[in-house]
Amino acid sequence: MKRALEITLISGENLRLNKKPVKNAVVAVRVEASHECSTKPAPDKGTNPQWNEKLAFDLPLHAGFITLEVKCRSSSGSYKLVGGATVPVSDLAGEPGTPEGLVHFLSYRLRDSNGVQTDGIINISAKMSGPAPAHKYEVPRPPIGVPVGHQRKMMVAGGLVIGVPVRYAQPCRC
């Protein structure tokens, strides 16, 4: 079962590659590893491109994140990554009980290929329709076991010894 996701890639702010304004910026949206769509190149050059382009996807219920990547065309013709953002599907769907088809306007700070936060921002709107995923809330369980051994060795092994309680029978004294 799937949900319909419509994302409008509105604009970018302060997009730079090696401290230079970007040219021909596109946004690639990846829902799953095998499914990616991208916008047309932004008509304006510089640090604040505007796309105002809608992309529609079938979003699997198990999907937890979508990936947005802003890329620009280099002089060699290949695309270079300006920055990316990983967006939780819960941001797009809203809180449990949110009416279906509600439009969310969101902005995300971009990170470069090394995961370092850049000054670039991407502005999007998203609308989701279809069945909402079942929300299950799990209470974290404390680990079972007793810390054992040398501190450095504990970190490698996970630091816990887990045992199974066994009933000890007293020998019969007749």
Side-chain angles (χ1 to χ4, degrees), residues 25-90:
V26 298
V27 180
V29 180
R30 191 175 319 115
V31 174
E32 292 184 299
S34 61
H35 187 69
E36 181 178 303
C37 289
S38 73
T39 64
K40 296 175 185 156
D44 48 345
K45 299 174 185 174
T47 59
N48 300 317
Q50 293 190 357
W51 297 279
N52 291 318
E53 191 170 333
K54 290 183 183 185
L55 299 175
F57 300 94
D58 285 332
L59 186 68
L61 288 177
H62 67 272
F65 297 92
I66 65 166
T67 304
L68 305 173
E69 290 181 342
V70 178
K71 301 175 184 180
C72 69
R73 185 171 287 198
S74 67
S75 57
S76 66
S78 63
Y79 279 97
K80 292 187 176 186
L81 180 68
V82 175
T86 303
V87 180
V89 171
S90 59

Side-chain angles (χ1 to χ4, degrees), residues 89-134:
V89 171
S90 59
D91 285 3
L92 307 173
E95 297 292 321
T98 301
E100 185 177 306
L102 187 68
V103 178
H104 300 274
F105 290 90
L106 306 160
S107 296
Y108 291 94
R109 176 89 51 195
L110 299 176
R111 294 186 176 272
D112 66 11
S113 59
N114 297 321
V116 178
Q117 188 169 311
T118 68
D119 290 335
I121 295 173
I122 187 162
N123 301 304
I124 66 169
S125 70
K127 179 171 64 170
M128 190 174 299
S129 59

